[in-house]
Amino acid sequence: MSDLLERLRGRGWRMTAQRRVVAEVLNGEHVHLTADEVHARAVTKLPEISRATVYNTLGELVSLGEVLEVTTDKRAKRYDPNAHRPHHHLVCARCGAIRDVHPTGNPLADLPDTERFGFTVSDVEVTYRGLCPDCAGA
Amino acid sequence: MSDLLERLRGRGWRMTAQRRVVAEVLNGEHVHLTADEVHARAVTKLPEISRATVYNTLGELVSLGEVLEVTTDKRAKRYDPNAHRPHHHLVCARCGAIRDVHPTGNPLADLPDTERFGFTVSDVEVTYRGLCPDCAGA
DNA sequence: ATCCTACAGTGGACTTTGTCTAAGTCAAAC
DNA sequence: GTTTGACTTAGACAAAGTCCACTGTAGGAT
Ligand SMILES: [Mn+2]
Ligand SMILES: [Mn+2]
Ligand SMILES: [Zn+2]
Ligand SMILES: [Zn+2]
């Protein structure tokens, strides 16, 4: 993630302890944390960081394209640092576990012109739902 | 929609003015209203209907399978009476307009076993995003 | 090294969306 | 017409997120 910090400094980001901690928390694969989860983890490293700053920083990372917003459930938005490899999500309907998945094929090609209503379609989001091995029981 | 009311009565639903009004409001094609939008429209027909009743009634319609919950944006859930024809959604990124779409192909088949992480995958939701004709400008 | 200041952070009030509960009301079975 | 349990209501409460006035500081200028 120091890649990320370098890139951000290059873009004129003022480097602060708060921003460094948020970037650290968002490190890893299959990471899809809510803003308050990010805050909870950030607080263990920098106790005085505020909720507002976490929200602000996440919002900036999203508009810089370094982090994706994912809304897999109807509850809180989740923040996904895996922004540089396009992917979709597989969600457990019971426990909420989320996995990054890479389906074959291009769903954009599956939407005929007659079903586009004159829209300029630029993106498609696919969410698979089911039960994870634990929640499926035996 | 009196089809719906008949079906619900048959299922033992007690028929009240409030439930009738909510069902009336949810009549039509390409309808994707938030709970508070449903409430606002219901109030014009039955001024004393409460928010709690609208939420309760929508929740019941969803668990009866008569209405779908769709979460196309990160804001309020939307309620979709078109529950009997499977479909996906096309959303304008700028104004939020929503259209029902019927892509060809089966996205479930596009998720290889190696990308299922042992999940029992039962459902897939596809959201297309772009700009509607109005928002794409001239 | 110190100063300066525009940018960043803070706590708290506020908003939106949704849930819950206690008390009152009424649809429908008899 | 009475009875009764399901239904409705107002308002308190909660979770997720935004906004603002004020305070603090990173990093360039001196
Ligand atoms: Mn992801
Ligand atoms: Mn729909
Ligand atoms: Zn699970
Ligand atoms: Zn539009």
Side-chain angles (χ1 to χ4, degrees), chain A residues 37-119:
Chain A
E37 285 166 354
V38 172
H39 181 241
R41 296 186 189 200
V43 159
T44 69
K45 300 176 178 223
L46 185 67
E48 68 274 23
I49 191 174
S50 73
R51 265 177 21 97
T53 294
V54 170
Y55 275 100
N56 288 341
T57 305
L58 290 172
E60 288 159 13
L61 289 170
V62 168
S63 39
L64 292 171
E66 297 289 350
V67 165
L68 298 175
E69 264 179 16
V70 189
T71 55
T72 49
D73 59 58
K74 49 278 176 188
R75 318 207 51 198
K77 286 185 252 185
R78 292 180 174 275
Y79 293 89
D80 184 343
N82 186 13
H84 296 301
R85 231 139 305 151
H87 63 278
H88 297 289
H89 292 106
L90 169 57
V91 182
C92 177
R94 193 157 156 283
C95 74
I98 304 177
R99 289 285 173 280
D100 290 346
V101 294
H102 304 82
T104 64
N106 176 11
L108 269 182
D110 286 348
L111 192 66
D113 273 348
T114 57
E115 287 284 296
R116 294 192 182 208
F117 298 92
F119 279 53

Side-chain angles (χ1 to χ4, degrees), chain A residues 30 69 71-75 77 90-92 97-112 115-133 136, chain B residues 30 69 71-75 77 90-92 97-112 115-133 136:
Chain A
H30 297 286
E69 264 179 16
T71 55
T72 49
D73 59 58
K74 49 278 176 188
R75 318 207 51 198
K77 286 185 252 185
L90 169 57
V91 182
C92 177
I98 304 177
R99 289 285 173 280
D100 290 346
V101 294
H102 304 82
T104 64
N106 176 11
L108 269 182
D110 286 348
L111 192 66
E115 287 284 296
R116 294 192 182 208
F117 298 92
F119 279 53
T120 309
V121 184
S122 54
D123 189 36
V124 58
E125 235 172 77
V126 182
T127 305
Y128 294 93
R129 296 187 187 280
L131 292 175
C132 74
Chain B
H30 298 285
E69 263 178 16
T71 56
T72 50
D73 59 60
K74 48 279 176 193
R75 314 204 51 195
K77 286 184 251 187
L90 169 56
V91 182
C92 176
I98 303 177
R99 289 284 173 281
D100 291 344
V101 295
H102 304 82
T104 63
N106 176 11
L108 269 181
D110 285 348
L111 191 66
E115 285 284 298
R116 296 193 180 209
F117 298 91
F119 280 52
T120 310
V121 184
S122 53
D123 189 36
V124 59
E125 235 172 78
V126 182
T127 305
Y128 294 93
R129 296 188 188 280
L131 293 176
C132 74

